[in-house]
Amino acid sequence: MSQVIKNFSKYRYLLGELAKKNIKLKYRRSYLGILWTMIEPLLVMIVLSAVFEKLLDRSGQDPVFAGVPFPIYVLTGRLLYSFFSSATNAAMRSIRSNSGMIKKVYVPKYMYPLSGILSNFVIFLISMIVLICVMGFYIVTGKYQAAMNWRIIMSVVPLLNLLLLTVGVGLILATLCVFFRDIEYLWSVMRMLIMYCSAIFYFASAMEPDIQALLRLNPLFGIIDNFRRSLFGQPFDLPLLGYTFGISVLFIGVGMFLFYRKQDTFILNI
């Protein structure tokens, strides 16, 4: 472990440079560039709110999130899911997409999936500006009486949980994708299933108890739920918080084990 820490410290600046490169490449041929980071979630929020609040009559209130406008409820879930989806996808493809560099220059191979996750996390933090602006709009117009208290600061805890979960899942996917190319297609289906099981655009309390129990098995659901609770001034669901952190640590352990066990054979399969 000490050798791993020393190696990471030696190449930490490279991690930042790789993350910068990923961000530049993502918006290289876009006229609006980084502005899409804020425009895209805003447009998705408008569409989802129009569909699920009006057409499907999802305007009812969840007892935990009473008084929270539905667009804000949707946006909080969508932002966290978008980061998880894009970051795990980037990590999954990182080894194959950097195969040329891996064959020519020695760099700790975990830098590639980590840089993909880090670049998406930076983009995610920028997109949080949209959430602040939307909440400010509803507060100023009197449509949302925000419960401003110290719990808002604790919203960083679910975000840390989300980052840990993403790193763990990303390392597992990066390893598997080198040997099994079909993982890309399987993961696209899994991401869709995870999205529908994360209560992004519906209230979990409206589901039957059996369905609610199944939703709580999805760690992303628990992270989004606790992020919403803290952001809206509510206490954490502590059992759910403990469960999601436990799952995240488990995924990181499995991901590190698989990655370090197989990294020496990557070059034979890329």
Side-chain angles (χ1 to χ4, degrees):
M1 182 58 68
S2 61
Q3 183 61 36
V4 171
I5 295 174
K6 184 183 296 185
N7 204 26
F8 180 82
S9 178
K10 180 180 178 180
Y11 289 94
R12 65 185 185 277
Y13 297 110
L14 177 61
L15 178 62
E17 292 301 318
L18 288 173
K20 291 178 185 177
K21 182 202 74 170
N22 292 336
I23 295 174
K24 291 178 180 178
L25 288 177
K26 183 172 183 177
Y27 297 105
R28 180 174 54 182
R29 297 183 180 179
S30 171
Y31 288 107
L32 295 177
I34 202 70
L35 285 177
W36 272 116
T37 304
M38 293 175 280
I39 296 174
E40 189 268 345
L42 187 62
L43 294 176
V44 172
M45 180 202 73
I46 293 172
V47 172
L48 291 179
S49 298
V51 172
F52 290 98
E53 184 179 21
K54 303 300 182 183
L55 298 183
L56 299 182
D57 191 22
R58 293 293 186 186
S59 56
Q61 290 291 348
D62 184 287
V64 178
F65 307 117
V68 177
F70 190 71
I72 298 178
Y73 179 87
V74 169
L75 185 59
T76 50
R78 180 63 191 181
L79 285 174
L80 270 64
Y81 168 77
S82 293
F83 161 68
F84 177 79
S85 176
S86 58
T88 53
N89 203 45
M92 177 177 60
R93 298 175 176 176
S94 60
I95 300 299
R96 290 176 54 197
S97 61
N98 290 282
S99 59
M101 187 179 296
I102 290 173
K103 292 176 180 179
K104 296 178 181 178
V105 182
Y106 171 76
V107 173
K109 297 178 181 64
Y110 59 79
M111 285 291 179
Y112 298 109
L114 288 184
S115 65
I117 293 170
L118 179 60
S119 61
N120 278 279
F121 192 68
V122 171
I123 293 171
F124 165 68
L125 293 179
I126 295 173
S127 68
M128 292 293 284
I129 296 173
V130 176
L131 178 59
I132 296 172
C133 292
V134 172
M135 290 182 66
F137 169 79
Y138 276 92
I139 292 172
V140 170
T141 56
K143 297 180 180 179
Y144 175 42
Q145 301 297 324
M148 296 295 184
N149 57 41
W150 61 272
R151 291 192 177 95
I152 295 177
I153 302 175
M154 297 302 293
S155 60
V156 298
V157 175
L159 294 183
L160 174 61
N161 194 172
L162 176 64
L163 183 59
L164 292 176
L165 177 67
T166 306
V167 170
V169 174
L171 288 175
I172 294 173
L173 290 173
T175 305
L176 294 178
C177 191
V178 172
F179 304 99
F180 308 104
R181 305 298 171 88
D182 292 340
I183 289 294
E184 289 191 31
Y185 307 106
L186 293 174
W187 184 239
S188 66
V189 176
M190 284 297 299
R191 291 204 314 270
M192 185 181 301
L193 178 61
I194 291 171
M195 180 185 70
Y196 284 114
C197 293
S198 296
I200 294 174
F201 41 75
Y202 61 87
F203 298 120
S205 61
M207 304 290 105
E208 296 182 0
D210 292 344
I211 302 299
Q212 293 184 41
L214 288 175
L215 292 178
R216 292 172 71 89
L217 293 177
N218 175 15
L220 191 60
F221 166 80
I223 292 172
I224 292 174
D225 184 76
N226 275 317
F227 176 75
R228 284 169 170 159
R229 287 171 181 266
S230 59
L231 190 66
F232 303 145
Q234 301 294 326
F236 284 139
D237 183 332
L238 292 179
L240 195 57
L241 184 66
Y243 168 74
T244 54
F245 263 107
I247 291 294
S248 300
V249 172
L250 176 63
F251 274 118
I252 285 182
V254 173
M256 290 178 64
F257 175 78
L258 283 178
F259 196 91
Y260 280 98
R261 186 78 179 270
K262 297 294 185 180
Q263 64 175 344
D264 291 337
T265 60
F266 285 172
I267 197 169
L268 303 176
N269 294 274
I270 56 178

